[in-house]
Amino acid sequence: AYEISTRDWSSDVCSSDLTILGASSTRAISWTPTVAFSGGSTSMTYTSVGFYARFGSMIFLHGEFLFSAKGTSTGDLRVTNIPVASLSNAPCTITCSFYNNNWTTLQPIIARTGGSSSQIIDFYSLSGTTWTRVTDTHVQNTSGCRFSGFYFHA
């Protein structure tokens, strides 16, 4: 079974590299993603870890979560607390990989910020030629997700 990494991500980023790239901080900053289905998390248990770095008006982030019980809430899968508010409907690139082979009928996955709220990441799956939201029906106990990318902050 896959396990969430417990290492200190901030040590993976060289402070001189961040300074050269114009980062406002010289280290990656830890962040704990909060997961929900349309805002609900009844009986849900999971572990999560993440980090982010700010480069000018861009936020680069990485997060992971692993369910031990998906709970009884229903609706769209979301991370509800991105570390810095995003611009509304601004361009972003966040790629996702789901693991533990417990996700049902999912094709390539993307995520985006700034849709329904500037603090939320929404997940989408390609169904034929249409992108549809990933929901509780796609998720089973012990499913996990890694996501990484960037977005523009408000």
Side-chain angles (χ1 to χ4, degrees), residues 131-152:
W131 288 99
T132 57
R133 288 184 191 247
V134 175
T135 69
D136 63 286
T137 61
H138 298 111
V139 179
Q140 298 179 19
N141 293 328
T142 72
S143 296
C145 174
R146 281 193 187 123
F147 55 95
S148 297
F150 73 90
Y151 64 92
F152 292 93

Side-chain angles (χ1 to χ4, degrees), residues 1-7 9 31-36 41 43-51 62-71 77-79 81 97-100 103 123 139-147:
Y2 182 84
E3 294 182 12
I4 293 286
S5 172
T6 57
R7 88 171 178 238
W9 288 99
W31 153 69
T32 304
T34 301
V35 181
S41 58
S43 301
M44 180 186 292
T45 56
Y46 62 92
T47 55
S48 66
V49 65
F51 70 91
H62 172 81
E64 302 179 28
F65 57 88
L66 178 63
F67 288 107
S68 49
K70 77 171 194 172
L77 176 63
R78 294 181 169 149
V79 169
N81 69 327
S97 60
F98 293 96
Y99 51 87
N100 279 1
W103 299 87
F123 296 87
V139 179
Q140 298 179 19
N141 293 328
T142 72
S143 296
C145 174
R146 281 193 187 123
F147 55 95

Side-chain angles (χ1 to χ4, degrees), residues 4-150:
I4 293 286
S5 172
T6 57
R7 88 171 178 238
D8 179 6
W9 288 99
S10 62
S11 63
D12 290 354
V13 180
C14 175
S15 62
S16 62
D17 291 342
L18 290 173
T19 303
I20 290 167
L21 293 171
S24 60
S25 171
T26 58
R27 297 192 76 106
I29 301 166
S30 293
W31 153 69
T32 304
T34 301
V35 181
F37 293 111
S38 295
S41 58
T42 304
S43 301
M44 180 186 292
T45 56
Y46 62 92
T47 55
S48 66
V49 65
F51 70 91
Y52 71 98
R54 181 183 235 155
F55 297 88
S57 63
M58 294 176 70
I59 304 295
F60 287 83
L61 71 117
H62 172 81
E64 302 179 28
F65 57 88
L66 178 63
F67 288 107
S68 49
K70 77 171 194 172
T72 58
S73 292
T74 60
D76 301 332
L77 176 63
R78 294 181 169 149
V79 169
T80 61
N81 69 327
I82 62 174
V84 179
S86 71
L87 290 174
S88 179
N89 295 312
C92 70
T93 300
I94 301 174
T95 59
C96 314
S97 60
F98 293 96
Y99 51 87
N100 279 1
N101 298 321
N102 288 324
W103 299 87
T104 59
T105 58
L106 289 178
Q107 298 299 313
I109 302 292
I110 61 166
R112 74 178 192 102
T113 62
S116 57
S117 166
S118 63
Q119 294 294 128
I120 288 177
I121 296 175
D122 292 309
F123 296 87
Y124 295 84
S125 173
L126 185 61
S127 177
T129 59
T130 305
W131 288 99
T132 57
R133 288 184 191 247
V134 175
T135 69
D136 63 286
T137 61
H138 298 111
V139 179
Q140 298 179 19
N141 293 328
T142 72
S143 296
C145 174
R146 281 193 187 123
F147 55 95
S148 297
F150 73 90

